[in-house]
Amino acid sequence: MNPLIVWGDQLKVGLPLIDNQHEQLIALANLLYLAMKAQRGREVLNQLFVDLANYTIWHFDTEENLMLENGFPNAAAHFHEHAELKRTVSELGEKAKHKQLEVTLETMNFLRDWLSHHINHTDRRLAEFIIAKQEGTPAKRPELRLVVNK
Ligand SMILES: [Fe+2]
Ligand SMILES: [Fe+2]
């Protein structure tokens, strides 16, 4: 059975910390999708959704800290995109916690489109900024302790 999203180089943004988390995020989305396709019970699907929701929110926190630490200029727009998905995922996650969520193909397709678009556009811009910043950092000038006055 085909996964929901195929992980590969086309989705890598070049920052190992973020790429590893995206790989894990997509693995969780695929797990839920395949369980849904296999018509696993609601309890299993709801637990998988809770895992995916928790991981998503944790991953967003990682990126948001990275933006703040690095003074990313487009942070507000990126935070905003996260906030919108967080709201949706938290609402559905709340239902899932009480085993009341119906995991549908529509929800999975929405997640697939949202994740691929966000990673390929928004996250990629963040990674490019951080990579450029790392490459552009000049070597730290050594501190000169000995001052010779002649
Ligand atoms: Fe992001
Ligand atoms: Fe991301």
Side-chain angles (χ1 to χ4, degrees):
M1 209 185 288
N2 288 331
L4 180 71
I5 307 173
V6 178
W7 171 255
D9 285 349
Q10 83 288 356
L11 279 175
K12 287 188 185 162
V13 297
L15 281 181
L17 170 72
I18 298 302
D19 284 336
N20 290 340
Q21 290 188 7
H22 285 161
E23 186 175 8
Q24 183 62 43
L25 191 59
I26 285 167
L28 289 169
N30 284 335
L31 213 56
L32 175 61
Y33 173 75
L34 294 175
M36 184 200 76
K37 283 287 201 184
Q39 299 185 317
R40 299 290 300 272
R42 178 177 282 201
E43 187 149 339
V44 173
L45 297 183
N46 277 242
Q47 185 52 53
L48 289 173
F49 190 91
V50 170
D51 289 348
L52 175 62
N54 289 342
Y55 195 87
T56 303
I57 290 165
W58 178 78
H59 165 65
F60 286 174
D61 284 347
T62 306
E63 286 186 357
E64 289 169 11
N65 286 333
L66 210 56
M67 286 186 244
L68 295 175
E69 282 162 15
N70 287 280
F72 181 56
N74 297 320
H78 199 144
F79 270 62
H80 183 72
E81 279 188 37
H82 284 178
E84 289 200 332
L85 189 75
K86 249 195 247 184
R87 201 178 314 128
T88 307
V89 158
S90 301
E91 279 169 16
L92 297 177
E94 216 32 61
K95 271 192 180 177
K97 253 188 234 161
H98 300 98
K99 318 264 183 290
Q100 285 164 355
L101 178 69
E102 197 63 61
V103 180
T104 62
L105 190 58
E106 197 188 352
T107 308
M108 295 314 300
N109 286 342
F110 165 78
L111 283 174
R112 178 197 60 206
D113 294 345
W114 195 96
L115 286 173
S116 344
H117 185 271
H118 184 84
I119 291 173
N120 263 326
H121 296 87
T122 312
D123 289 345
R124 199 173 288 287
R125 275 198 289 273
L126 169 62
E128 281 167 1
F129 173 80
I130 291 173
I131 291 166
K133 199 179 159 194
Q134 285 167 349
E135 284 170 353
T137 305
K140 198 166 181 275
R141 188 173 73 86
E143 205 173 310
L144 302 175
R145 294 182 187 277
L146 186 66
V147 179
V148 182
N149 292 315
K150 271 195 179 170

